[in-house]
Amino acid sequence: MPKLSNLYLLAYNSLQAVAWAVCLALSLSSFVSTKAVNGAYASAGDLIYFLQMVQFLEVIHGAVGLVPSGVVFPLMQWAGRAHFLFVLRQTHEVQESPSVFITFVAWSLSEVIRYPHYAFNCMGSYPSWITYLRYTAFIVLYPPGMAGETWLMYQALPFVKKTSLFPDLFAGLSYYNFLRVLLVCYPFLCLKLYLHMFKQRQSKLGKHPKKKKR
């Protein structure tokens, strides 16, 4: 009989897979129906925000040893996305930016690959092709997702400066200045995650053996 923790993870990953597929469909259907990329937030923003908040459970999963992912990298990814969505929800002027469409589609595509892989893993067997996709698709999907996040935060800067919705942080640091510093650091943080994913890929897929010369 499967362990209760395994059944929980199977249910969690399966529901996330379905929900992210809905997010992808909503983002793309908005583009198809309007022939414009400015409707992604209106179509899928609330659902993506909810799913991203729920994803904090994955940090807890790693912290309690439910999964072997650890805490640091899941927390970095969750915090980066959560901050992006926080800025997006508070800054209405950028909600129709093409950067939102680019980011939402990149996120959704990566998640409709990642979560089914995890769900199959909970069942103890998974097709080799989905493992290959899980540890390969990020090479294409991660850069536009990172670029979309960075682009939107840059676009939001003048509006963040003018609004009082963003509180001052520690030592009197304004949110505007925090965001400026973050934009300088963000590419380096994203690169760290990107390289970590390559290490995971090498670990899971390994190197193809070279053919011997005749």
Side-chain angles (χ1 to χ4, degrees):
M1 183 177 178
K3 292 181 180 179
L4 188 61
S5 59
N6 205 50
L7 291 174
Y8 160 73
L9 288 173
L10 175 61
Y12 172 82
N13 290 312
S14 299
L15 289 171
Q16 283 278 13
V18 172
W20 280 101
V22 171
C23 292
L24 179 61
L26 290 172
S27 299
L28 293 178
S29 64
S30 170
F31 170 71
V32 170
S33 61
T34 64
K35 301 296 188 294
V37 295
N38 59 4
Y41 181 81
S43 299
D46 288 341
L47 179 56
I48 286 179
Y49 177 78
F50 171 75
L51 294 176
Q52 189 56 46
M53 295 304 102
V54 172
Q55 278 186 353
F56 187 74
L57 286 172
E58 294 169 34
V59 180
I60 299 174
H61 295 166
V64 301
L66 203 58
V67 296
S69 61
V71 174
V72 175
F73 287 102
L75 181 59
M76 284 177 64
Q77 182 170 5
W78 179 85
R81 287 188 176 187
H83 178 258
F84 169 88
L85 290 169
F86 171 70
V87 173
L88 178 59
R89 287 171 69 85
Q90 297 295 329
T91 316
H92 302 285
E93 294 88 348
V94 297
Q95 289 178 356
E96 294 186 352
S97 168
S99 58
V100 179
F101 175 79
I102 293 168
T103 305
F104 280 8
V105 170
W107 285 4
S108 300
L109 283 171
S110 65
E111 302 300 38
V112 297
I113 295 170
R114 186 168 73 98
Y115 283 112
H117 177 266
Y118 289 163
F120 276 116
N121 193 38
C122 292
M123 294 186 286
S125 176
Y126 42 82
S128 58
W129 61 266
I130 201 166
T131 302
Y132 183 81
L133 271 180
R134 164 71 181 94
Y135 294 103
T136 303
F138 80 89
I139 298 172
V140 176
L141 296 175
Y142 193 77
M146 179 194 71
E149 293 172 36
T150 308
W151 182 14
L152 181 126
M153 286 190 287
Y154 177 77
Q155 289 176 307
L157 273 176
F159 305 108
V160 170
K161 188 175 184 179
K162 289 190 294 185
T163 184
S164 59
L165 292 174
F166 297 92
D168 287 347
L169 303 177
F170 54 89
L173 178 67
S174 70
Y175 200 88
Y176 170 73
N177 286 327
F178 166 75
L179 194 56
R180 292 173 67 190
V181 172
L182 181 63
L183 278 170
V184 174
C185 301
Y186 207 66
F188 299 100
L189 296 172
C190 291
L191 180 61
K192 186 175 179 64
L193 277 172
Y194 197 44
L195 294 176
H196 173 71
M197 292 176 188
F198 273 103
K199 289 181 181 178
Q200 281 190 318
R201 184 177 192 273
Q202 178 62 36
S203 161
K204 298 295 183 179
L205 301 183
K207 294 182 180 179
H208 296 291
K210 294 181 180 178
K211 292 182 180 179
K212 294 181 179 180
K213 294 182 180 180
R214 293 182 179 179

